[in-house]
Amino acid sequence: MTRINGFIGRRNFLKFAGTGSLAIAATTIGGSLIGNIPKTAIADVHPANPNPVNPSQALKLLLDGNQRFIQYKRQYPHQSLARLKLVAKAQYPFAAILGCADSRVPTEIIFDQGLGDLFVVRVAGNVASDMTIGSLEYTTAVLGTQLIVVLGHTKCGAVAAAMKNDPMPGMISDIAESIKPALTNLNPTNAVIANVQYQSKKIQHSSPILTQLLKAKKLQIVGACYDIDTGKVNLIT
């Protein structure tokens, strides 16, 4: 089995995920991995990350970018043709964001980042479903991302719908049901924060891979809330 920047190779990651052996895969992180797979089997990574970014550095990059955004001083980094060609060969996002699908929260824009900088998973209510957790496992265990930010936002329609507890059509109800466990007699603002905290814990506790990375201090999970009115991202402690 290969190791990429100290993490599981993609083919083996997908093999474990497909067979339900994520717990076994998690135990290999940071351990002795044997065997080889051809480089051609990996389309988006190389054997080593040339510029690993630790969680504190990654969080600073995000918050600095958000400050530029709210101060109208955006630098539009990593958006050149040269950058486009570079990341076509490999990707090493310095942070992963589990955010809401709300059109008013465009992740790369509010953090003033560019191509290949962020691994973004967006779904209404920033819900930590099996699919979103699997995506986060991929970016951390395979691509070497060491920071996950669970990003909620003010005036979140998904959270508001979950609070009303009214019948909803189709699969929209599934989103609300995934949020309801976080809500107990809360006002809308506190409900958004509670949902971020709940989804953050769910990510950690539902994934042996992410739990192992956290224990090995190769990963940090942070909660945050984006203010729709000001554009500011506030950390949730």
Side-chain angles (χ1 to χ4, degrees):
M1 187 182 297
T2 57
R3 180 169 56 186
I4 301 171
N5 191 33
F7 298 86
I8 302 171
R10 184 173 72 172
R11 175 179 289 180
N12 292 288
F13 171 83
L14 296 176
K15 174 183 176 183
F16 279 116
T19 59
S21 300
L22 291 180
I24 299 175
T27 64
T28 67
I29 299 171
S32 176
L33 307 183
I34 59 176
N36 291 287
I37 60 173
K39 292 181 181 179
T40 54
I42 303 173
D44 56 358
V45 291
H46 289 315
N49 186 338
N51 296 298
V53 180
N54 66 45
S56 60
Q57 292 173 322
L59 187 58
K60 186 177 187 304
L61 286 171
L62 290 175
L63 296 179
D64 287 350
N66 180 244
Q67 281 297 308
R68 294 194 299 271
F69 171 71
I70 63 178
Q71 294 173 5
Y72 303 100
K73 296 180 180 179
R74 290 174 61 195
Q75 296 177 357
Y76 306 95
H78 297 160
Q79 298 180 31
S80 65
L81 178 60
R83 177 68 173 184
L84 177 68
K85 293 181 177 180
L86 178 65
V87 297
K89 300 174 183 177
Q91 63 162 328
Y92 297 107
F94 71 81
I97 313 293
L98 171 55
C100 184
D102 193 298
S103 63
R104 299 167 294 178
V105 194
T107 313
E108 282 84 358
I109 293 177
I110 66 174
F111 287 115
D112 193 27
Q113 302 300 325
L115 295 167
D117 289 330
L118 304 179
F119 190 95
V120 181
V121 183
R122 293 180 66 181
V123 61
N126 41 275
V127 169
S129 66
D130 289 347
M131 293 297 182
T132 56
I133 292 173
S135 297
L136 295 173
E137 288 176 336
Y138 178 76
T139 191
T140 53
V142 179
L143 303 182
T145 307
Q146 297 187 18
L147 175 69
I148 295 174
V149 177
V150 180
L151 182 66
H153 66 91
T154 59
K155 303 180 181 178
C156 181
V159 172
M163 291 185 68
K164 289 180 181 179
N165 203 29
D166 294 333
M168 285 171 283
M171 294 184 181
I172 299 175
S173 60
D174 292 345
I175 297 172
E177 291 301 320
S178 297
I179 296 173
K180 285 180 182 179
L183 311 180
T184 306
N185 300 321
L186 299 170
N187 63 46
T189 300
N190 290 338
V192 167
I193 294 173
N195 182 50
V196 168
Q197 293 171 328
Y198 172 77
Q199 304 301 338
S200 298
K201 291 178 180 178
K202 186 177 179 182
I203 289 171
Q204 177 181 346
H205 296 153
S206 301
S207 170
I209 288 179
L210 299 182
T211 298
Q212 186 70 14
L213 287 170
L214 286 163
K215 289 181 179 178
K217 300 188 184 303
K218 291 185 177 180
L219 176 65
Q220 184 176 353
I221 300 175
V222 175
C225 183
Y226 174 75
D227 191 317
I228 289 286
D229 293 304
T230 66
K232 182 175 175 56
V233 172
N234 296 292
L235 297 181
I236 296 173
T237 57

